[in-house]
């Protein structure tokens, strides 16, 4: 399998730049599996500082956590992917459930953000995941497939190869409750099959990450599943020791 193994941290609205640099220094000094790509999703205010801090470090990339769907204009408080790319940053997280839930980001808006981020030259970590209700009614596969169809299936195979998918069941985020490796694998396989029907061969090269209460104690078992290529990690990415253990769990 040639798929890139990825350990992505999502700092959300946590850590000052100073604290973030201290955390990054520990990651730089720590022992990291060289075949794993580490990506850090950090607040906008930290992008420039951390991008510079990591200029000479292989295998740790910086990501924004959101971007606007327009390139520039009268959108007070917003940041365009073109501005992010100009800093040398390579990734943006789009469609996180907190953005969908608290900032009313729907599939249509996310599609526009995807297009603008790709136009700017960014790679994307595209999040999807079902609420508990959808899982309880066994509608979870359909629900998540629709999220990726609406957000991504208008892309060419070439553009799709610049996208990493992160499956994050909402009921498992920040709750301490993780999807079982079997539950996660079921979804990842369903997504890969769907990607294969739409995009063909390249579906085998698209990394699909799991997210939702990933910790040093459950990472290994999750990563041992055939279609789980890594994780998007919230809480446990804020402590260097924990995150290094996750990076080394493949
Ligand atoms: P968590 O968050 O690891 O704290 O559950 C994951 C995420 O929201 O990306």
């Amino acid at each position: 399998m040639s798929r890139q193994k990825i350990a992505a941290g999502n700092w959300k609205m946590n850590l000052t730049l100073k604290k973030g640099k201290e955390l990054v220094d520990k990651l730089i000094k720590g022992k990291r599996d060289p075949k794993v790509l580490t990506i850090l999703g950090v607040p906008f205010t930290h992008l420039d500082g951390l991008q510079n801090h990591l200029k000479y470090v292989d295998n740790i990339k910086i990501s924004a956590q959101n971007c606007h769907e327009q390139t520039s204009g009268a959108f007070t408080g917003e940041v365009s992917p073109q501005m992010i790319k100009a800093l040398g940053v390579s990734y943006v997280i789009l469609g996180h459930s907190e953005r969908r839930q608290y900032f009313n980001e729907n599939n249509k808006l996310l599609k526009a953000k995807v297009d603008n981020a790709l136009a700017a030259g960014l790679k994307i970590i595209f999040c999807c995941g079902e609420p508990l209700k959808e899982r309880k009614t066994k509608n979870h596969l359909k629900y998540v497939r629709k999220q990726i169809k609406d957000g991504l299936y208008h892309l060419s195979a070439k553009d799709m190869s610049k996208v990493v998918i992160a499956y994050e069941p909402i009921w498992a985020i920040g709750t301490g409750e993780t999807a079982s490796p079997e539950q996660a694998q079921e979804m990842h396989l369903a997504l890969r099959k769907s990607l294969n029907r739409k995009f063909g061969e390249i579906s085998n090269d698209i990394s699909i990450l799991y997210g939702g209460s990933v910790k040093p104690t459950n990472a290994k078992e999750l990563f041992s599943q055939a279609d789980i290529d890594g994780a998007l990690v919230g809480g446990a990415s804020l402590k260097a020791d924990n995150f290094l253990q996750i990076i080394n769990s493949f």
Side-chain angles (χ1 to χ4, degrees):
M1 265 304 139
S2 65
R3 284 196 294 278
Q4 176 69 60
K5 306 274 180 217
I6 297 174
N10 178 11
W11 291 4
K12 308 191 181 184
M13 197 172 72
N14 291 298
L15 305 177
T16 59
L17 176 57
K18 184 165 173 283
K19 292 262 182 244
K21 279 185 180 163
E22 286 167 13
L23 171 51
V24 166
D25 283 338
K26 289 184 190 159
L27 297 179
I28 294 171
K29 286 196 199 107
K31 200 174 137 319
R32 280 175 291 114
D33 182 340
K35 63 179 187 305
V36 177
L37 174 64
T38 299
I39 303 174
L40 303 174
V42 306
F44 285 134
T45 46
H46 303 14
L47 288 173
D48 193 30
L50 292 179
Q51 178 64 28
N52 271 310
H53 206 65
L54 284 163
K55 214 162 29 193
Y56 303 110
V57 178
D58 275 346
N59 272 349
I60 304 183
K61 300 283 180 214
I62 291 294
S63 174
Q65 300 174 4
N66 177 34
C67 69
H68 199 261
E69 65 276 19
Q70 303 277 342
T71 54
S72 63
F75 302 103
T76 303
E78 291 296 319
V79 175
S80 76
Q82 287 73 16
M83 294 168 178
I84 296 167
K85 178 69 183 177
L87 300 174
V89 169
S90 36
Y91 283 87
V92 61
I93 298 171
L94 290 176
H96 191 280
S97 62
E98 286 149 18
R99 301 288 323 166
R100 293 176 190 260
Q101 193 178 341
Y102 306 136
F103 302 93
N104 300 321
E105 296 196 1
N106 57 28
N107 292 345
K108 185 164 170 258
L109 175 67
L110 288 169
K111 180 177 181 225
K113 290 193 179 205
V114 162
D115 286 341
N116 197 25
L118 288 170
L122 291 177
K123 292 181 185 158
I124 295 170
I125 300 176
F126 187 85
C127 303
C128 53
E130 81 285 0
L132 189 57
K133 177 169 87 47
E134 303 296 337
R135 177 151 293 262
K136 280 193 167 152
T137 53
K138 302 206 182 334
N139 196 39
H140 51 290
L141 297 177
K142 203 169 152 212
Y143 183 93
V144 176
R145 271 196 301 253
K146 180 168 165 50
Q147 286 181 321
I148 67 163
K149 277 181 193 159
D150 288 357
L152 300 171
Y153 279 23
H154 62 291
L155 296 178
S156 65
K158 185 162 171 271
D159 275 343
M160 190 61 210
S161 66
K162 297 168 194 155
V163 178
V164 172
I165 290 180
Y167 166 58
E168 302 200 304
I170 297 172
W171 47 272
I173 295 178
T175 58
E177 193 167 332
T178 323
S180 69
E182 294 75 25
Q183 284 174 322
Q185 168 60 21
E186 178 200 37
M187 179 65 78
H188 285 227
L189 180 61
L191 293 180
R192 195 166 320 278
K193 281 185 178 162
S194 174
L195 288 165
N196 186 269
R197 283 192 294 274
K198 173 67 192 168
F199 297 102
E201 274 301 289
I202 65 140
S203 62
N204 291 321
D205 300 329
I206 295 174
S207 299
I208 307 182
L209 315 182
Y210 169 78
S213 300
V214 175
K215 308 180 270 268
T217 48
N218 59 24
K220 233 187 193 85
E221 216 187 338
L222 286 161
F223 297 166
S224 69
Q225 301 295 314
D227 289 283
I228 300 183
D229 307 307
L232 180 55
V233 186
S237 74
L238 298 173
K239 293 255 169 16
D241 290 352
N242 286 343
F243 197 46
L244 281 168
Q245 282 185 59
I246 293 170
I247 294 169
N248 293 317
S249 290
F250 289 90

